[in-house]
Amino acid sequence: MKIIHFNQGQAGDLCINTVAARQYKECNPEDTIIMSVNKKYIDLLPLFYNHPHIDGFHVWDGYDIATTKDTEWLARNGKNIVLKTPMPQHTQNEWWKYYHQGHECCLMNGVNILHSQDFSCYLEKWFNVPKYNNTIAFAPFAGWYNQNNDKKLTQQKAQEIVNLLTKEGYSIIQIGGHNEPILANAIKYNTSYFDSMKNILGCELLITTDTWCSWYSSAYKFPTLGLYSNSYYTVSFIKNIQPINPNAIYLDANNVNNIPNELIIDKIKAMI
C-alpha cells in the first residue's frame, strides 16, 4: 500500500512530517510513504533525500484545491494510494497544551504511536557543506510578511545583535527571504532553502527566531540558539512548539524583542 502523507503547510511543517513518517514506519514497515510537497517548496526536497522513512515524493500543483494536473495524476495512481488532505485540522483547540508539535503531527494524520515516543525531527546529511570559520548563521525575521507579529525581531534589535557579535569577532551569515532587509555587517545570500540550510550547517551556530530553519537545524542536531515569543503559547507551553534538539538552547519572552541582548550573547559564548 502507498501512503500519501503528511502536512503540506509551511516549510517547517514538512520537516515535522519526519516525526510522523518514523512513527508510521515503526508500525507499518511494509508500506510505502510518498511525502506530498507543494510546488512552492520544491527546492526543499533535496533535504529529504535518502531519508530512512520516506520512500518517495509527490509535488502537488495546487495547494488547498487540486488543479487539473493533480486530478489527472490521482486518476492514474489513486487506486494504490491512501490519500490524506494537504493540511489536516488540528486535533483540538489549544492542542499545544497537551502535545508537542511533533506528536500533534502524528495525531493529525491518524498515525498510531505504539513504540518510540521520539518526537524529534530527522534528516540525512548526505551532501557536503561549506566551512565558515568563526561564523554564525542568523535568522532574525520570523513571519516577516506579518509586520506586527511578536516572534520577529525588529530590524533595530537584529542589528544590535549583529553589532555585538561582530565586536566579539564573529562573522554573520543572515538567513531569510529575498524581501527581508539586509543587516549591516552581515552577509546575505539569496539562495534556495537547500543552499541556505547548507550554509547554516557550515557555520558554528545558528541563532534563529521561530522560523523554518529552527526545525531543520534540529533534524541535524545542529547547535542552535532559538529566540521565541511566548505571548500565544504562554511560558508553560512554549516548549511544545520548540523543536527537540539536544544541542539547542531556547530563550523566550512575551515579545522576542524583550529577550535581553546580554543574555543572548552570554548563551552564545557558552555554546561555542
Side-chain angles (χ1 to χ4, degrees):
M1 180 168 58
K2 293 183 179 179
I3 309 296
I4 294 288
H5 274 299
F6 292 98
N7 301 350
Q8 284 196 35
Q10 301 298 324
D13 290 298
L14 296 180
C15 191
I16 302 170
N17 286 340
T18 64
V19 180
R22 177 176 58 246
Q23 296 288 350
Y24 185 90
K25 278 287 193 178
E26 285 186 356
C27 301
N28 307 277
E30 302 304 317
D31 284 355
T32 298
I33 290 181
I34 308 295
M35 192 176 88
S36 54
V37 179
N38 187 265
K39 65 180 180 180
K40 176 181 178 180
Y41 295 117
I42 193 170
D43 68 5
L44 277 165
L45 271 184
L47 294 171
F48 296 89
Y49 290 172
N50 302 315
H51 196 283
H53 307 123
I54 299 172
D55 303 297
F57 308 94
H58 176 67
V59 178
W60 292 101
D61 190 50
Y63 187 73
D64 293 326
I65 301 174
T67 66
T68 300
K69 183 177 179 181
D70 293 328
T71 55
E72 289 175 348
W73 182 86
L74 287 171
R76 293 193 303 270
N77 299 280
K79 66 179 181 180
N80 298 318
I81 290 170
V82 177
L83 181 66
K84 298 294 182 181
T85 58
M87 191 64 189
Q89 294 297 309
H90 280 292
T91 56
Q92 58 187 304
N93 293 331
E94 297 187 335
W95 57 268
W96 36 269
K97 289 185 177 180
Y98 309 98
Y99 306 110
H100 184 268
Q101 195 161 355
H103 191 169
E104 173 70 358
C105 179
C106 297
L107 298 176
M108 289 167 68
N109 286 279
V111 175
N112 293 324
I113 301 166
L114 301 179
H115 300 292
S116 164
Q117 292 291 313
D118 182 2
F119 300 117
S120 63
C121 299
Y122 177 80
L123 292 170
E124 188 74 21
K125 186 180 174 184
W126 58 268
F127 46 84
N128 294 323
V129 300
K131 178 59 179 175
Y132 300 114
N133 293 321
N134 216 37
T135 300
I136 293 173
F138 186 28
F141 301 127
W144 176 256
Y145 51 85
N146 179 357
Q147 294 298 300
N148 297 317
N149 83 77
D150 52 23
K151 64 180 186 177
K152 172 181 67 68
L153 292 174
T154 64
Q155 188 170 347
Q156 178 182 342
K157 174 79 168 184
Q159 189 64 64
E160 290 172 0
I161 293 171
V162 168
N163 293 345
L164 289 169
L165 291 173
T166 54
K167 186 176 180 180
E168 294 290 334
Y170 296 108
S171 299
I172 307 299
I173 293 179
Q174 184 181 338
I175 306 296
H178 300 337
N179 62 338
E180 295 176 10
I182 301 175
L183 300 170
N185 299 316
I187 302 168
K188 188 170 185 288
Y189 302 109
N190 287 326
T191 61
S192 67
Y193 284 106
F194 180 46
D195 287 328
S196 291
M197 198 65 227
K198 288 197 290 186
N199 284 334
I200 290 170
L201 295 175
C203 293
E204 306 279 350
L205 174 77
L206 168 66
I207 308 170
T208 181
T209 47
D210 181 9
T211 189
W212 70 274
C213 49
S214 183
W215 290 101
Y216 287 80
S217 65
S218 77
Y220 297 105
K221 296 182 173 57
F222 187 75
T224 299
L225 178 63
L227 309 177
Y228 281 73
S229 163
N230 59 36
S231 65
Y232 181 77
Y233 299 102
T234 75
V235 174
S236 298
F237 299 108
I238 187 67
K239 63 182 183 299
N240 283 338
I241 61 101
Q242 293 168 339
I244 296 171
N245 181 351
N247 297 313
I249 292 175
Y250 297 112
L251 304 175
D252 62 273
N254 63 324
N255 185 304
V256 71
N257 292 282
N258 293 334
I259 301 174
N261 290 345
E262 296 79 10
L263 178 60
I264 293 171
I265 298 303
D266 286 346
K267 294 299 183 183
I268 292 168
K269 289 180 178 179
M271 296 177 74
I272 296 181

